[in-house]
Amino acid sequence: MTLALDRRTANLDALESEAIHIFREVAGEFDRPVILFSGGKDSTVLLHLALKAFWPAPVPFALLHVDTGHNFPEVIDFRDRVVGKHGLRLLVAHVQDWIDDGRLTERPDGTRNPLQTVPLLDTIAENKFDAVFGGGRRDEERARAKERIFSLRNAFGQWEPKRQRPELWNLYNGRHRPGEHVRVFPLSNWTELDVWNYIAREKIELPDIYYAHEREVYLRDGMWLAEGPWGGPRDGETLERRTIRYRTVGDGSCTGAVDSDARTIEDVIAEVAASRLTERGATRADDRLSEAAMEDRKREGYF
Amino acid sequence: MPNLLRLATAGSVDDGKSTLIGRLLFDSKTIFADQLAAIERASRDRGEDYPNLALLTDGLRAEREQGITIDVAYRYFATPRRKFIIADTPGHIQYTRNMVTGASTADLALILLDARNAIADQSRRHAFLATLLGIPHLVVCVNKMDLVGWSRDRFEEIREEFRRFSMKLAVPDLTFVPVSALHGDNIVHRSASMPWYEGTSLLHHLEEVHISSDRNLIDARFPVQYVIRHKDFRGYAGTVAGGVFKPGDEVLVLPSGFTTTVSAIWGPGGRPVTEAFPPQAVTLRLADDLDVGRGDLICRPNNRPHVGQDVDAMVCWLTERGNLSPDAKYTVVNTTRTTKAVVTSLDYRMDITTLHRDETAESLALNEIGRVKLRTQQPLLFDAYRRNRACGSFILVDETTNNTVAAGMITGPSQSVVWHSTAVGRAERGSTGCTVWLTGLSASGKSTIAVELERRLVAAGRPAYLLDGDNLRHGLNADLGFSAADRAENVRRVGEVARLFADAGLVAVVSLISPYQADRDRVRAAHEQAGLGFFEVFVDTPIETCEARDPKGMYARARAGEITGFTGVDDPYEPPVAPELVLRPEQGDPARMAALVIAALDRMPLPRMD
């Protein structure tokens, strides 16, 4: 067991060093970087790594959250608590503002996840952010498997898979024209299990909803959805109280929970290690739309 | 941090590479149920009877439409022993760019051959690129063994064909595994259909291959990435690119040339570190307040990288928009240093299939590889790529498009050929040379000791150069065979080269079977006549041990009568009568033996300088 733990740690050390190298590279080469921070586990790990990369100095970047207005209140509380604790600067782009002034219209199905792209790109442009850190991992989805660590977005914020730059050794090319920006993914080489092992090793606090708790939920498309401002059960769907947890945390309208008794980090690791479903496959309705769902959204400028 | 193995896979469309990776993920239970369900659905849609494991790795829509892979895709899987990152690259010649990208960070390259066919040009290119990119371990999977009736003869035939070809390359570690990716034979579990195969399964090999010693722990290199300032704190952040740093070490800052001491080292988040080595990201504090910034490099005063504006390098051209041509200007990025560079000449273009060098080439197009000379605006702080991948690699960036247009591997500082005039006396040269001559049977361990010896001498600031008998037979002695006369000529030539090197002030480290006493004595006499030290080391490994090791399968072939005149089998080896040193296996590993040679060398009286 000790040996297995050492091995696990050796792997995490290598991943941690790689991520920190990436943070420092961006700090050395860009003028206005920003970290996308939602309070979810990947962005919390991202922030933790940034804090470690620049110790003892504060993180030299601002944080940005695109709030759909359909977020879990526990996560928003957590987000604000973390920001306050580390004395960070957080910008929030509210999707509601874009709907209110007509730049966006609500979708008939009520989900706001696809609506995040426009506020994100508008905010990046307004603030002239040139490097945008995201918590994306290549193991999440097939289209992400080809994503670079430094991923250039054109002046429309779009990703062009055929025009990606070759990325060699640890020599990252972040050069861009005015108006373009670079998405940076320090967790590219991490898997879901790596993230959880790292959370355990570093004792990183997360929103409670990642751990098993009781909640009123209803079943749709094989996922447990919670009732909220985004809607609730339709005909034939009934609310029931179950012990569940969330594997990913996104817009409440399309983020499903899984049945789980994993109340501690160790329980979660055991559950993830034994799981036969990817986290997105299990809990994200938005990725199920079509075989190329994620690729299409990425081209448009999604995270 | 060795428990992460990065591997690059390459193969042509029909070799079954995607199937092999899919099989590796499937049999090691890394494929998730939803992914498998999606593949089964897609396979049915395409009218296929069984889940097409290749669909797991063919990511982008265009690829699915064309049925090919068009970019580097990264895959992850883990076993209780190791985590693996697969850089999966397509095999087409037009995607050399992607193979180079995937190979740049790899510890191991996996090459697939189709057991039914002769070795494809593509596979030769992949092997060449793997060695060019300095990947230390090469695993050749001979796939589709089921279609050749699990034939041992066929496997061995292909293995020999590949070995003959790979002799032209410097492959440090080469392994062959017969597999059937479709049926899973020898992928995760040993195959029941090939009882004659005595090696391990592919996965087992990947779990066990020793990679921690691939890192350069000799040459301390710390490219400064970012300066962390906070109140009165000032620390230099970066990733260790070579060697080991400890608090208290005396260090040299380049290019300024100031020396100071490391007063503290912190890991991520301020954890104190007693030893920092590659690839750790750390922060150094220096005892003196110096002007150090991004792009500077911290090393040890007695072991510094090259500092120069003129470098020779192999480059791979990565873009279809424009060619590399002499006089073109680029931005060059080497470690954390960025400056401008001009290509002063294109020495040759390499045909990566035939390894032919075209010296008349005037430009490099997409996917072409050649050797160039670069002149940079600011000096680069570099090592040769083969010695240190982190300090010897660079990219060229086009200044108008901002695209990465070339990957470069520095071979060394550019030098015009200078013939030392005899007016320079030996005492005026920086160091005193001599020759260390390692003789012994094939597979006795000579070359391994010699490599370690060269590395240690150079690390200690003593110029040294390895003359390896096998390697010299590719160039200087390519025209010689293995008859007694040819062997004598082989020894004479190597002896002459060693003598010249020793005269130039280097320690010439020779690794050569050199079976006959008379030939070795002639080399010794030539050295003595020139007033140069000749240090004969007999690597006295018993033939049973050599034969058990047999890394190239030569003893087996000699015993089977396939080759004749093989030293120790049907040709005599004459042990040295009075060697300066004898090394036997019980004295320790190659590193220990190299240390013994250096200790003995230090005790030897220096030749007279007059």
Side-chain angles (χ1 to χ4, degrees):
Chain A
M1 185 60 210
T2 316
L3 192 60
L5 206 70
D6 286 349
R7 285 188 163 134
R8 205 164 71 185
T9 305
N11 164 27
L12 292 178
D13 283 339
L15 293 172
E16 181 186 62
S17 276
E18 181 181 74
I20 285 177
H21 180 87
I22 293 161
F23 271 112
R24 290 167 170 177
E25 206 54 25
V26 170
E29 290 284 309
F30 289 83
D31 297 324
R32 294 180 64 78
V34 67
I35 301 177
L36 295 177
F37 182 69
S38 63
K41 71 175 192 315
D42 295 320
S43 67
T44 303
V45 166
L46 205 56
L47 178 60
H48 181 86
L49 288 161
L51 288 161
K52 292 186 85 169
F54 300 102
W55 174 93
V59 175
F61 318 126
L63 307 184
L64 169 62
H65 182 212
V66 179
D67 186 345
T68 59
H70 289 173
N71 285 295
F72 295 91
E74 298 93 325
V75 180
I76 298 297
D77 289 348
F78 172 81
R79 178 196 77 186
D80 293 340
R81 207 148 36 79
V82 170
V83 167
K85 180 176 159 192
H86 298 294
L88 300 160
R89 191 166 69 89
L90 172 74
L91 272 83
V92 180
H94 295 278
V95 170
Q96 191 64 50
D97 295 346
W98 271 256
I99 294 173
D100 290 348
D101 67 17
R103 282 180 285 175
L104 283 175
T105 34
E106 197 91 69
R107 289 162 56 102
D109 63 3
T111 178
R112 285 186 172 180
N113 226 28
L115 300 187
Q116 293 178 82
T117 304
V118 171
L120 172 68
L121 295 180
D122 288 353
T123 310
I124 289 170
E126 275 163 32
N127 290 274
K128 298 188 165 55
F129 290 129
D130 53 2
V132 180
F133 288 102
R137 307 190 318 263
R138 288 174 179 151
D139 82 322
E140 285 178 73
E141 209 277 336
R142 284 199 301 190
R144 290 215 191 208
K146 315 211 159 180
E147 181 65 279
R148 303 297 193 259
I149 290 174
F150 275 37
S151 179
L152 184 72
R153 300 304 155 106
N154 65 21
F156 303 99
Q158 288 166 327
W159 181 65
E160 297 169 87
K162 291 213 165 160
R163 289 204 47 208
Q164 292 204 86
R165 293 170 179 170
E167 198 162 71
L168 299 110
W169 299 290
N170 61 359
L171 302 174
Y172 302 106
N173 176 5
R175 296 184 155 239
H176 58 278
R177 297 195 184 104
E180 294 178 334
H181 72 274
V182 176
R183 298 283 173 90
V184 182
F185 302 104
L187 303 182
S188 287
N189 287 323
W190 299 50
T191 60
E192 184 187 11
L193 193 56
D194 293 327
V195 169
W196 280 109
N197 279 326
Y198 190 70
I199 289 166
R201 188 183 86 169
E202 302 283 307
K203 302 185 173 60
I204 299 172
E205 193 195 343
L206 291 183
D208 297 338
I209 69 169
Y210 279 107
Y211 301 102
H213 58 286
E214 290 199 351
R215 190 178 285 259
E216 298 273 319
V217 288
Y218 59 95
L219 191 63
R220 181 180 296 165
D221 296 338
M223 295 186 298
W224 294 111
L225 296 178
E227 200 176 20
W230 50 83
R234 296 180 200 145
D235 294 345
E237 296 169 341
T238 49
L239 277 177
E240 55 184 295
R241 196 160 183 83
R242 299 187 70 91
T243 304
I244 51 97
R245 72 175 199 88
Y246 288 89
R247 275 177 83 176
T248 67
V249 169
D251 187 66
S253 65
C254 62
T255 301
V258 292
D259 282 317
S260 172
D261 292 317
R263 291 178 193 278
T264 65
I265 182 97
E266 289 74 21
D267 295 345
V268 171
I269 289 172
E271 188 187 279
V272 170
S275 172
R276 301 299 293 143
L277 287 179
T278 61
E279 61 185 18
R280 283 188 170 266
T283 63
R284 293 295 273 267
D286 47 334
D287 286 335
R288 295 180 164 191
L289 298 175
S290 80
E291 203 186 350
M294 175 65 110
E295 193 181 330
D296 290 340
R297 277 185 297 140
K298 277 172 65 65
R299 281 178 201 269
E300 290 158 16
Y302 189 70
F303 307 113
Chain B
M1 301 189 225
N3 264 308
L4 183 61
L5 181 85
R6 294 175 196 254
L7 61 143
T9 54
S12 41
V13 189
D14 306 320
D15 288 337
K17 173 177 55 89
S18 294
T19 309
L20 181 132
I21 296 172
R23 174 61 68 181
L24 214 45
L25 301 179
F26 186 71
D27 285 0
S28 65
K29 302 193 169 48
T30 324
I31 292 180
F32 292 101
D34 53 325
Q35 290 174 321
L36 187 61
I39 291 164
E40 283 172 343
R41 209 166 43 237
S43 301
R44 265 198 312 277
D45 293 349
R46 294 154 61 113
E48 292 166 352
D49 308 334
Y50 55 91
N52 184 344
L53 294 176
L55 291 177
L56 266 177
T57 56
D58 292 347
L60 297 185
R61 172 179 284 184
E63 296 173 352
R64 286 195 297 278
E65 285 162 2
Q66 296 168 27
I68 53 159
T69 325
I70 56 167
D71 203 335
V72 189
Y74 293 89
R75 309 285 161 193
Y76 303 85
F77 73 103
T79 69
R81 292 177 181 277
R82 247 182 198 164
K83 166 170 170 148
F84 300 91
I85 301 181
I86 305 179
D88 180 23
T89 58
H92 321 273
I93 185 167
Q94 65 265 41
Y95 295 118
T96 295
R97 162 175 65 186
N98 297 329
M99 166 90 194
V100 167
T101 303
S104 70
T105 51
D107 304 302
L108 182 145
L110 199 66
I111 292 185
L112 260 89
L113 304 179
D114 185 330
R116 295 170 301 175
N117 305 330
I119 295 171
D121 284 349
Q122 238 175 61
S123 309
R124 291 174 205 272
R125 287 195 289 271
H126 295 151
F128 169 72
L129 292 174
T131 32
L132 179 71
L133 271 291
I135 301 181
H137 308 276
L138 191 58
V139 176
V140 178
C141 285
V142 181
N143 192 22
K144 308 197 181 181
M145 288 299 292
D146 51 314
L147 300 182
V148 295
W150 314 106
S151 162
R152 176 182 196 161
D153 287 349
R154 183 61 195 138
F155 170 67
E156 286 176 356
E157 203 177 345
I158 291 194
R159 186 174 64 183
E160 282 321 303
E161 190 189 347
F162 193 91
R163 275 209 180 118
R164 272 197 302 280
F165 153 72
S166 69
M167 298 277 261
K168 294 184 210 158
L169 311 169
V171 183
D173 175 32
L174 181 59
T175 306
F176 294 85
V177 187
V179 303
S180 165
L182 189 63
H183 300 287
D185 290 76
N186 282 338
I187 304 292
V188 171
H189 306 289
R190 285 282 304 275
S191 166
S193 306
M194 291 178 278
W196 46 264
Y197 171 67
E198 289 171 353
T200 60
S201 72
L202 173 63
L203 181 64
H204 190 260
H205 181 73
L206 297 179
E207 287 181 327
E208 295 296 324
V209 64
H210 192 57
I211 53 166
S212 55
S213 56
D214 296 338
R215 291 175 295 178
N216 179 332
L217 295 176
I218 305 286
D219 310 315
R221 302 284 184 266
F222 185 80
V224 176
Q225 198 185 5
Y226 185 75
V227 181
I228 297 176
R229 290 191 189 84
H230 184 58
K231 299 178 181 151
D232 56 353
F233 179 94
R234 191 181 167 88
Y236 303 103
T239 300
V240 182
V244 181
F245 287 88
K246 299 191 207 64
D249 280 352
E250 190 189 10
V251 290
L252 173 76
V253 182
L254 290 173
S256 68
F258 289 112
T259 53
T260 179
T261 309
V262 175
S263 54
I265 306 179
W266 294 281
R271 179 176 51 86
V273 168
T274 52
E275 275 193 330
F277 46 84
Q280 287 178 338
V282 296
T283 303
L284 302 189
R285 189 168 204 172
L286 301 179
D288 295 288
D289 198 9
L290 302 173
D291 182 21
V292 181
R294 177 172 168 84
D296 291 353
L297 185 138
I298 297 172
C299 62
R300 303 295 303 272
N302 58 359
N303 178 343
R304 48 183 84 181
H306 298 285
V307 179
Q309 289 170 264
D310 292 283
V311 299
D312 284 347
M314 297 298 294
V315 295
C316 176
W317 193 247
L318 305 171
T319 180
E320 61 275 27
R321 303 166 89 199
N323 295 343
L324 174 138
S325 46
D327 298 330
K329 292 181 183 60
Y330 303 98
T331 295
V332 59
V333 183
N334 165 239
T335 68
T336 57
R337 207 169 172 78
T338 301
T339 180
K340 307 225 184 274
V342 57
V343 177
T344 52
S345 76
L346 172 62
D347 298 338
Y348 58 82
R349 178 173 57 211
M350 185 89 148
D351 180 321
I352 62 171
T353 307
T354 62
L355 306 188
H356 173 74
R357 298 172 177 189
D358 178 3
E359 291 173 8
T360 64
E362 287 174 357
S363 65
L364 293 179
L366 173 65
N367 293 315
E368 291 185 334
I369 289 172
R371 204 182 74 172
V372 299
K373 288 186 168 40
L374 285 187
R375 180 164 181 86
T376 61
Q377 194 172 50
Q378 302 292 324
L380 298 182
L381 315 170
F382 64 93
D383 290 290
Y385 183 79
R386 63 174 174 79
R387 187 157 183 94
N388 188 323
R389 287 166 93 179
C391 296
S393 52
F394 65 84
I395 55 172
L396 297 181
V397 176
D398 183 291
E399 299 196 313
T400 48
T401 64
N402 289 326
N403 282 332
T404 304
V405 293
M409 289 136 286
I410 299 175
T411 51
S414 291
Q415 285 160 347
S416 44
V417 180
V418 177
W419 192 256
H420 284 293
S421 96
T422 49
V424 180
R426 202 169 285 155
E428 295 163 69
R429 299 192 194 279
S431 57
T432 309
C434 66
T435 293
V436 177
W437 190 280
L438 296 135
T439 171
L441 292 168
S442 178
S444 60
K446 299 181 299 296
S447 293
T448 318
I449 300 168
V451 166
E452 183 65 24
L453 182 59
E454 182 194 31
R455 183 193 281 259
R456 284 172 179 243
L457 286 166
V458 172
R462 262 184 107 167
Y465 194 85
L466 172 61
L467 295 166
D468 185 277
D470 285 347
N471 295 351
L472 293 172
R473 276 189 179 270
H474 296 298
L476 178 66
N477 298 333
D479 55 333
L480 298 177
F482 292 89
S483 67
D486 277 4
R487 281 173 181 250
E489 173 61 11
N490 187 32
V491 172
R492 186 193 72 80
R493 287 187 196 172
V494 178
E496 277 302 303
V497 173
R499 191 180 61 83
L500 289 168
F501 278 25
D503 190 46
L506 277 72
V507 178
V509 179
V510 177
S511 165
L512 198 65
I513 297 175
S514 45
Y516 310 131
Q517 181 72 48
D519 296 339
R520 293 191 302 261
D521 283 350
R522 269 192 289 277
V523 177
R524 178 187 291 271
H527 278 73
E528 283 170 358
Q529 209 169 12
L532 293 163
F534 184 79
F535 197 85
E536 193 176 12
V537 180
F538 177 28
V539 183
D540 188 11
T541 308
I543 188 157
E544 300 75 40
T545 312
C546 300
E547 209 163 345
R549 290 176 186 163
D550 203 17
K552 298 172 189 161
M554 299 301 275
Y555 282 95
R557 295 181 62 203
R559 293 285 178 205
E562 287 177 41
I563 47 177
T564 56
F566 192 73
T567 301
V569 176
D570 59 350
D571 206 64
Y573 177 79
E574 301 169 5
V577 181
E580 271 73 14
L581 185 67
V582 180
L583 295 174
R584 297 200 173 86
E586 60 270 23
Q587 284 168 288
D589 62 12
R592 168 84 186 130
M593 289 189 177
L596 289 172
V597 176
I598 291 176
L601 210 51
D602 287 343
R603 286 194 301 271
M604 197 172 78
L606 289 174
R608 289 166 57 89
M609 298 291 248
D610 52 4

